[in-house]
Amino acid sequence: MAMIANGVNQVKTALGLKRPWSSDLCACCDETQSCLDVFFCLPCQMSRQCSALDDSPDTMDCCYCCCSLVALYQGATGTVVTAIIRYRLIEKYGISGEGAIKTFFIGTFCFLCSMCQTSRELTVLGANPGGTCCIPPAPNAVQ
């Protein structure tokens, strides 16, 4: 089923069709497991989302994780990484309603909420990033 969803999304993107976000930015209470994972282990979740965007769902790359950890401790660099993840998701899956500037500001200044939203979106799209500390619901369970 996930392969069909990915195929449909790739066709929509190729045709230039845009779709809205499946959840709001501040909808962390809708699916708490991935939000807890973002809060307690942000570098791991960053790694998982990068892997999911690179077509390796539910895997964690230790190199991504370590680089994310270093970036987070460098200050603003870590929040820029969240903006890049958000931008990659928007471009890959053709999500509408957000330009590059809005994506940068949400990813930089609301980075925890942004990471939660991108995790939910990846799960809905069938590219489930999975979880490290908390087990997120199955991709079909998130609506």
Side-chain angles (χ1 to χ4, degrees), residues 23-93:
S23 65
D24 291 332
L25 180 64
C26 298
C28 294
C29 293
D30 292 349
E31 198 274 290
T32 56
Q33 292 94 336
S34 64
C35 292
L36 289 171
D37 206 52
V38 166
F39 183 75
F40 288 113
C41 195
L42 183 58
C44 299
Q45 189 55 231
M46 291 170 97
S47 165
R48 288 179 166 283
Q49 289 187 28
C50 285
S51 293
L53 285 166
D54 291 336
D55 298 322
S56 297
D58 203 10
T59 56
M60 186 179 78
D61 186 336
C62 288
C63 181
Y64 277 143
C65 188
C66 291
C67 290
S68 298
L69 185 64
V70 169
L72 286 169
Y73 283 111
Q74 293 295 322
T77 309
T79 60
V80 171
V81 172
T82 63
I84 291 169
I85 291 170
R86 186 175 184 86
Y87 182 76
R88 285 185 62 203
L89 175 77
I90 289 169
E91 287 301 307
K92 182 172 183 174
Y93 293 106

